[in-house]
Amino acid sequence: CALLDTPEFRGTIADHPDFDAGSDAEALYDAMKGFGSDKEAILDLITSRSNAERQEIRAAYKSQFGKDLIDDLKYELTGKFERLIVVLMRPPAYHDAKEIKDAIKGAGTDEKCLIEILASRTNEQIHNLVAAYKDAYGRDLEEDVIGDTSGHFKKMLVVLLQGTREEDDVVSEDLVEQDAQDLYDAGEAQWGTDEAKFIMLLGNRSVIHLQLVFDEYQKIAEKSIEDSIKSELSGDFERLMLAVVQCIRSKPMFFAKRLYKSMKGLGTADNTLIRIMVSRSEIDMLDIRECFRLRYEKSLYNMIQDDTSGDYKRTLLKLCGGDDDMAGEFFPEAAQIAYKMWEISAMTKVQLRGTVRPYQNFDPASDAQALRKAMKGFGTDEDTIIDIVAHRSNAQRQEIRQTFKSLLGRDLMADLKSELSKNLQRLILGLMMTPAEFEAKMMKKAMEGAGTDEHALIEILVTRSNQEIQEMCSAYQNAYKKSLEDAIASDTSGHFKRILISLAQGAREEDPADMARALEDAQVNVMPDNKDIEQIIKKEMSGDVKNAMFAIVRSVKNQPSYFADRLYKAMKGLGTDDRALIRIMVSRSEIDLFNIRKEFKETHDASLHEFIQGDTSGDYRKTLLILCGGED
């Protein structure tokens, strides 16, 4: 969701039409006097006034009652509700100053807070922040940041603290191509990275200029600037530069992702949630809501409702301003740009990277002999089997199978099946099959027995190319003496069956317009120039049809992100969906598992390596970790 900065108001909190600072100050005083306090009156009043009006109320409260309003609020309120109300009463620059002060005080540093604030603020907001920090703490913000950070991360923070980014009307068209080339030369085109060039360009050029540079960079490098940053940089510096790029592309989407991460999983990052909801409520909360719904298929309002409680929840919901799901609220300008971005992404070349590559000193005869030795006699040498199978490409494994048969007169797959057990057996056998054999087996498993694994059917058929589908259909026919189309037809029904059979024919037009045609085939009227496809699917479809169409959209937008979400769902909560875990790790290890790892880290704030390590065990875990290829 790439929303353009427009002069129109996109916040949820605006000036109150009949504002009277003195009357409001008296109302707050009455709400807090006596035994207990009227919390609902406090939150209703404060969330229906702009920050500028709140400052007038604070001044009026002081002059009328001789007391500090924030002190009284702190005394009367408690917990997260108190923190949220107090933040609303502070001027934005002073709240940013306090957040940064808290982020760098004590033993550790909250780098994520520093990154979020300094990457997303305008020049004016940065200047106000620096002045507020000096006023509140009598210290120089730049000096404190320098004293608490290091390396290229520190250098970029210092550049951002200058607040000297060119304004958006500064677009040097003659420099766009040169800047894109300079970024390419500083990273992808050389051994090592010229971090200073990244810092200079990303820290100083105007937002609109850099958006054009990123487009030009894509043409030169045949990959996005984000992918280059992920491969060239690391640690906090990588996270900071990605945040800068995300804010240049779309601040609303940047904040939507931050809000999602603050609430997903166990526990809530309340400081982050409060900071964003307050700081964006008068700027772009409507756009953040729209980006949130587009990306996560759930309204921000609903997620807040599910993740918080009490007066704290009620206040956050007031700042949110409405439930997009319930009200059917729709922002055509946001959706139109979102569709365009989806259409472009479908045609954009992205450098996909696997984690398993051909073994350099490959000798199929030696490997075949080593595998036989590992399975002979009493006991099995699982370490040798894992080491060989997981470190060879699939093409090399097929050579080992053939050599094992010709040298030893035995079926390697049968031997492995008899020697290994449970998940390790399924994983190793999956690696030893050809991709087409493996996919055919996975389709068979998804349809056999009492129930059908619709998610597996969707995942396989939606994400495979026409050629991969055709090879899988041939493998299915050879292995099970039945066409895949007939198997699908007998195991599914209705629109869902028609969608799957259409995909199984392996004749899909690999074109962005295909989504519109697919929706038309499902009897949904679509106007791609002014409709939000995901919202249409959500409103017009249900059940497995909706799941299939969502999978098509999401895999076209960003296939590694789709698989990252599938892996997360396979391992989160109680129990592990080992079949899905094996299927994805095997099938993507030579295609885009490196990209999937990066998307997993970005979306779920934890490495895929960590998830596998915590969710599996023994030789099964060891093999999965080799396929994973490393920690992020």
Side-chain angles (χ1 to χ4, degrees):
C1 180
L3 300 168
L4 302 176
D5 290 327
T6 59
E8 65 178 307
F9 180 72
R10 301 296 295 160
T12 50
I13 304 295
D15 287 339
H16 192 68
D18 302 312
F19 176 62
D20 183 331
S23 174
D24 285 348
E26 190 171 342
L28 287 172
Y29 182 79
D30 289 343
M32 291 187 284
K33 73 180 180 183
F35 184 75
S37 54
D38 186 347
K39 297 180 180 67
E40 194 161 335
I42 293 170
L43 77 86
D44 279 343
L45 192 151
I46 289 177
T47 56
S48 58
R49 304 296 187 271
S50 67
N51 190 274
E53 289 171 338
R54 293 180 208 126
Q55 302 317 309
E56 289 188 50
I57 295 169
R58 193 175 168 189
Y61 193 94
K62 185 83 167 179
S63 65
Q64 288 174 221
F65 305 108
K67 304 177 75 176
D68 184 81
L69 176 55
I70 287 182
D71 287 345
D72 280 4
L73 288 168
K74 284 182 177 179
Y75 180 79
E76 292 291 332
L77 309 178
T78 59
K80 290 177 280 193
F81 177 53
E82 175 219 312
R83 283 158 57 192
L84 177 52
I85 292 295
V86 167
V87 170
L88 282 164
M89 290 305 305
R90 287 199 186 102
Y94 281 83
H95 179 58
D96 278 352
K98 185 179 189 309
E99 290 292 283
I100 293 219
K101 180 68 173 173
D102 291 344
I104 58 180
K105 74 179 181 183
T109 303
D110 184 353
E111 290 86 2
K112 290 178 183 176
C113 174
L114 288 179
I115 289 169
E116 178 200 302
I117 292 174
L118 296 181
S120 66
R121 297 324 190 234
T122 64
N123 288 344
E124 183 181 3
Q125 289 170 330
I126 290 287
H127 297 153
N128 292 340
L129 160 63
V130 170
Y133 192 92
K134 184 75 171 177
D135 181 52
Y137 307 110
R139 299 178 62 85
D140 183 79
L141 177 53
E142 185 178 322
E143 288 179 8
D144 282 1
V145 167
I146 288 172
D148 208 65
T149 57
S150 61
H152 298 298
F153 179 58
K154 174 182 71 178
K155 291 173 188 174
M156 186 60 178
L157 290 177
V158 169
V159 168
L160 294 173
L161 275 169
Q162 305 314 300
T164 53
R165 185 179 297 285
E166 294 169 343
E167 297 302 328
D168 282 350
D169 58 353
V170 180
V171 178
S172 307
E173 292 184 19
D174 55 333
L175 279 179
V176 167
E177 192 172 338
Q178 183 60 54
D179 284 350
Q181 188 64 51
D182 286 349
L183 284 172
Y184 181 70
D185 292 342
E188 294 290 337
Q190 68 173 28
W191 182 260
T193 307
D194 180 0
E195 291 87 353
K197 183 63 70 175
F198 276 82
I199 290 170
M200 189 278 287
L201 291 175
L202 296 184
N204 290 287
R205 296 284 196 256
S206 75
V207 169
I208 292 177
H209 178 85
L210 283 171
Q211 288 171 349
L212 296 173
V213 169
F214 296 161
D215 291 342
E216 187 64 30
Y217 185 91
Q218 183 87 43
K219 296 174 189 173
I220 295 170
E222 294 191 344
K223 64 191 297 189
S224 68
I225 187 68
E226 290 93 335
D227 282 344
S228 287
I229 287 171
K230 288 173 186 177
S231 61
E232 294 293 326
L233 310 179
S234 62
D236 291 324
F237 183 47
E238 174 194 343
R239 285 185 278 276
L240 173 58
M241 298 305 268
L242 284 173
V244 170
V245 169
Q246 287 167 10
C247 286
I248 286 162
R249 287 202 189 276
S250 168
K251 281 184 187 176
M253 181 56 86
F254 170 75
F255 285 114
K257 289 178 181 178
R258 291 282 293 153
L259 283 169
Y260 179 76
K261 288 179 182 179
S262 75
M263 291 182 280
K264 73 176 180 66
L266 293 173
T268 303
D270 292 293
N271 280 352
T272 302
L273 179 57
I274 290 170
R275 185 171 60 243
I276 297 173
M277 294 301 294
V278 171
S279 68
R280 309 314 292 185
S281 60
E282 295 182 45
I283 300 173
D284 54 5
M285 186 56 71
L286 289 176
D287 293 334
I288 291 169
R289 274 168 43 185
E290 179 66 1
C291 286
F292 194 98
R293 182 171 58 78
L294 284 168
R295 184 170 179 88
Y296 301 110
E297 302 163 29
K298 180 177 185 176
S299 71
L300 175 59
Y301 190 97
N302 272 333
M303 193 151 188
I304 291 170
Q305 203 159 38
D306 293 344
D307 210 65
T308 59
S309 61
D311 294 315
Y312 177 53
K313 173 173 75 176
R314 283 191 284 276
T315 311
L316 288 170
L317 293 178
K318 290 267 191 179
L319 297 178
C320 184
D323 183 356
D324 304 316
D325 290 340
M326 184 186 298
E329 292 187 39
F330 189 68
F331 310 123
E333 69 282 2
Q336 189 172 342
I337 297 168
Y339 181 87
K340 189 65 182 172
M341 289 298 290
W342 166 78
E343 190 178 49
I344 291 168
S345 71
M347 297 181 288
T348 298
K349 290 182 180 178
V350 177
Q351 186 185 40
L352 300 179
R353 293 171 58 189
T355 53
V356 175
R357 298 177 180 84
Y359 189 64
Q360 287 195 337
N361 300 314
F362 177 57
D363 182 343
S366 174
D367 285 346
Q369 295 282 9
L371 286 171
R372 177 61 185 146
K373 184 179 178 183
M375 294 185 283
K376 261 196 332 189
F378 185 73
T380 305
D381 182 357
E382 285 90 354
D383 284 345
T384 295
I385 296 171
I386 293 166
D387 190 55
I388 292 173
V389 174
H391 286 104
R392 305 298 185 267
S393 68
N394 190 272
Q396 290 174 333
R397 294 181 206 126
Q398 302 318 309
E399 287 191 55
I400 295 170
R401 276 177 75 177
Q402 293 169 3
T403 305
F404 196 92
K405 185 82 169 178
S406 62
L407 281 181
L408 306 167
R410 301 176 65 88
D411 183 342
L412 176 56
M413 300 294 278
D415 282 4
L416 288 168
K417 193 169 185 177
S418 67
E419 292 292 328
L420 305 175
S421 61
K422 297 183 179 177
N423 285 326
L424 178 63
Q425 179 201 86
R426 291 158 62 190
L427 178 55
I428 292 294
L429 289 176
L431 288 166
M432 289 304 305
M433 293 176 189
T434 67
E437 288 173 337
F438 180 66
E439 306 292 7
K441 185 175 178 63
M442 291 296 100
M443 290 293 290
K444 178 70 173 173
K445 288 288 185 186
M447 292 184 283
E448 70 184 7
T452 302
D453 185 348
E454 291 86 358
H455 289 291
L457 297 179
I458 291 168
E459 177 201 301
I460 295 169
L461 290 172
V462 161
T463 59
R464 274 37 173 192
S465 68
N466 288 340
Q467 183 179 344
E468 288 170 329
I469 293 282
Q470 289 159 8
E471 289 171 355
M472 175 178 68
C473 287
S474 177
Y476 194 97
Q477 179 76 52
N478 291 338
Y480 307 111
K481 311 308 176 191
K482 183 178 184 179
S483 78
L484 181 57
E485 283 186 42
D486 288 345
I488 291 170
S490 63
D491 206 64
T492 59
S493 60
H495 287 305
F496 183 55
K497 176 176 76 175
R498 285 195 285 278
I499 290 170
L500 294 185
I501 289 176
S502 175
L503 292 169
Q505 289 169 352
R508 185 168 61 170
E509 294 181 50
E510 293 173 347
D511 183 295
D514 185 48
M515 170 48 58
R517 277 190 287 275
L519 286 166
E520 284 176 13
D521 290 344
Q523 299 176 328
V524 179
N525 294 321
V526 182
M527 293 294 290
D529 59 335
N530 60 8
K531 292 286 185 181
D532 166 11
I533 283 179
E534 294 193 30
Q535 183 69 357
I536 290 167
I537 293 170
K538 194 169 189 177
K539 289 171 69 176
E540 302 289 339
M541 301 180 184
S542 61
D544 294 323
V545 173
K546 182 174 79 171
N547 292 337
M549 298 309 288
F550 263 131
I552 293 172
V553 174
R554 300 193 82 180
S555 66
V556 169
K557 280 182 176 179
N558 186 335
Q559 201 163 95
S561 175
Y562 169 77
F563 281 116
D565 286 343
R566 294 282 295 142
L567 283 169
Y568 178 74
K569 288 172 183 173
M571 292 183 281
K572 72 168 185 172
L574 294 173
T576 303
D577 183 352
D578 292 292
R579 188 164 286 168
L581 179 57
I582 290 169
R583 185 174 60 245
I584 297 170
M585 295 297 289
V586 169
S587 66
R588 310 315 294 183
S589 60
E590 292 183 55
I591 301 172
D592 56 0
L593 191 50
F594 179 86
N595 307 78
I596 292 167
R597 265 173 39 194
K598 292 291 184 183
E599 290 289 343
F600 194 100
K601 178 76 172 178
E602 183 178 336
T603 305
H604 302 293
D605 215 21
S607 75
L608 178 58
H609 190 280
E610 288 170 2
F611 254 68
I612 291 170
Q613 204 156 34
D615 213 60
T616 59
S617 61
D619 292 320
Y620 175 50
R621 175 172 65 189
K622 179 180 177 181
T623 313
L624 287 170
L625 291 177
I626 292 172
L627 296 178
C628 184
E631 295 187 67
D632 293 303

